[in-house]
Amino acid sequence: MQSQDERTTRRSFMKDTVRYGAGFAALASSKMLGANDRIQIGVIGTGGRAGELMRCFNPGPNAFWAGMPQFKIGPVSGAQLVAAADVYEPHLDRAEAAAGPGTRRFHDYRELLDQKDIDAVIIASPDHWHKKMLIDALEAGKDVYVEKPVTHSLEEGPEEIRTMERTGRVVQTGTQHRSWKHYIQAKEIVDSGALGTVRMVEAYWFMNLTRGFESIGQQKTDLSKLDWKAWLGSAPPQEFTEMKFHRWRYFRDFGGGTVADLMVHSLSTIQWFMNSPIPSSAIAAGLSNDFELEWPTTMSCTLEYPQGFLVSYIGNHSSGMDFGSVVFYGSKATLEISRAAFALYEETRGFKYNSKSQRWRPDPKLYVESEEEGTSENLRNWLECIRSRKTPNANLAFGVELARAAHLSNAALISGRKATWDETAQKILLV
């Protein structure tokens, strides 16, 4: 049984991290970097997402994101990719091609961390590795960019934050909306009170992954070039399958499904805009699929927040229409924001049917398009904070809060019951 002191410590660690995070970071760094110093970066876990992050450092002219020309990739300067670690050789080959000649290659990421000239690391491994790799990197004196979700279980968050505080390192998480310019502008509008009272937030994310899932069965991974045991890490021993290796997010030993992947991005906007880090409850439902996955590819989730608003999220991987968006319905105005743009609609009487949007909405009072994909801005903010020792936009405390909301939602999804957050006990209850 926990003592009162232990419960108080666990309950307050999030508040303390936000309050003191910048101070701890300021105590850091044995190597102070100036404005003209190039930060030396190693990449751990060099699969698909790592390739996208690495591309930001050398995008080339007119580069855009994943086949979507509206998402321009802006170059990230002031750093150099010098090393990569992965247990799958073809991933290392692609990482070396992206980083350039002379890139050091490692099978064991701990050997990369031993390199004294490496200042910082990007961690883009499967989710079940995030906590272990993050803590090892912090202990090795590296600043870290870690992809979301930052935890694979509820219990991992406090140790991550304690280690960051103790080591004084800078940790940025891969929730890039926090650094995306038009999201920042929209946040200022919400903070101004222009929306009035917000009681309902609607979010959705649609991506048609059917062909991708179907193609997995045709792939033949060369197992002589993959250290499957090392890839599994802390996960239970199990046989290799193409689906587990290529779509690991949809298996519980390795990832948290669409909730911990895409819904987290939506919640990063919602919890930030609404200044509300802790949902009090969640209910969720999902549909089975034909690909023997452990997480559903079609699901819905409703979260209740103690500040007095609901979030309704829908995720669907069998259709790509509409992509993803978040809509804040206020008593004075409605704000809809996506990665492409945001629109502000004032509440008026006598709405007219808009044939283009097929909604009962007036023309927007304000419409702002995105200038570039926000990952580059998130990386730039990280590099700036490595130099200044300030707390970054998408800081670790924020990432742990988002992961906790995902764990609460997945508890509801798995159990088929309402999941509630017990703030006193710092645990999830099913009712």
Side-chain angles (χ1 to χ4, degrees), residues 110-333:
R110 293 169 297 183
E111 294 180 7
L112 183 152
L113 295 177
D114 287 338
Q115 307 301 302
K116 302 301 182 185
D117 64 316
I118 293 179
D119 305 305
V121 295
I122 293 170
I123 297 173
S125 60
D127 297 353
H128 71 295
W129 271 107
H130 285 180
K131 179 238 183 182
K132 169 68 173 166
M133 289 176 171
L134 171 60
I135 288 179
D136 285 349
L138 295 174
E139 296 287 6
K142 313 301 184 187
D143 297 313
V144 180
Y145 187 107
V146 58
E147 269 302 329
K148 53 84 197 139
V150 298
T151 66
H152 187 49
S153 67
L154 187 67
E155 296 74 22
E156 294 177 347
E159 184 180 357
E160 291 182 351
I161 291 181
R162 286 194 299 268
T163 305
M164 179 194 67
E165 292 176 341
R166 178 173 51 78
T167 59
R169 309 316 303 177
V170 172
V171 180
Q172 180 86 299
T173 68
T175 47
Q176 60 266 33
H177 293 179
R178 290 284 299 235
S179 297
W180 212 317
K181 289 181 179 178
H182 75 292
Y183 280 91
I184 294 172
Q185 183 179 351
K187 163 66 170 168
E188 293 171 353
I189 292 172
V190 175
D191 286 347
S192 76
L195 302 190
T197 301
V198 176
R199 296 297 186 195
M200 169 62 73
V201 183
E202 177 188 42
Y204 57 88
W205 208 297
F206 300 154
M207 296 180 69
N208 195 334
L209 302 181
T210 303
R211 290 182 181 178
F213 285 124
E214 291 173 344
S215 68
I216 296 299
Q218 303 169 11
Q219 298 190 35
K220 298 296 180 182
T221 298
D222 185 348
L223 296 181
S224 69
K225 297 182 178 181
L226 170 66
D227 187 339
W228 178 242
K229 183 177 180 181
W231 190 94
L232 287 174
S234 61
Q238 52 199 281
E239 294 296 320
F240 169 90
T241 71
E242 296 288 350
M243 192 65 76
K244 287 180 179 179
F245 180 53
H246 292 285
R247 293 291 182 267
W248 51 264
R249 292 186 187 278
Y250 298 90
F251 295 88
R252 295 178 188 175
D253 287 336
F254 318 125
T258 187
V259 169
D261 181 21
L262 297 176
M263 193 177 95
V264 161
H265 279 307
S266 296
L267 292 182
S268 74
T269 302
I270 296 165
Q271 296 187 175
W272 174 35
F273 281 24
M274 298 295 290
N275 299 311
S276 185
I278 308 171
S280 54
S281 69
I283 56 174
L287 293 178
S288 60
N289 53 72
D290 299 325
F291 303 104
E292 299 182 355
L293 308 176
E294 295 175 353
W295 290 113
T297 55
T298 300
M299 54 82 61
S300 66
C301 181
T302 300
L303 299 106
E304 182 179 4
Y305 284 79
Q307 286 79 2
F309 67 95
L310 297 177
V311 171
S312 175
Y313 177 86
I314 300 173
N316 181 14
H317 287 345
S318 62
S319 172
M321 292 294 173
D322 292 335
F323 193 46
S325 190
V326 179
V327 188
F328 297 84
Y329 293 100
S331 59
K332 296 180 180 179

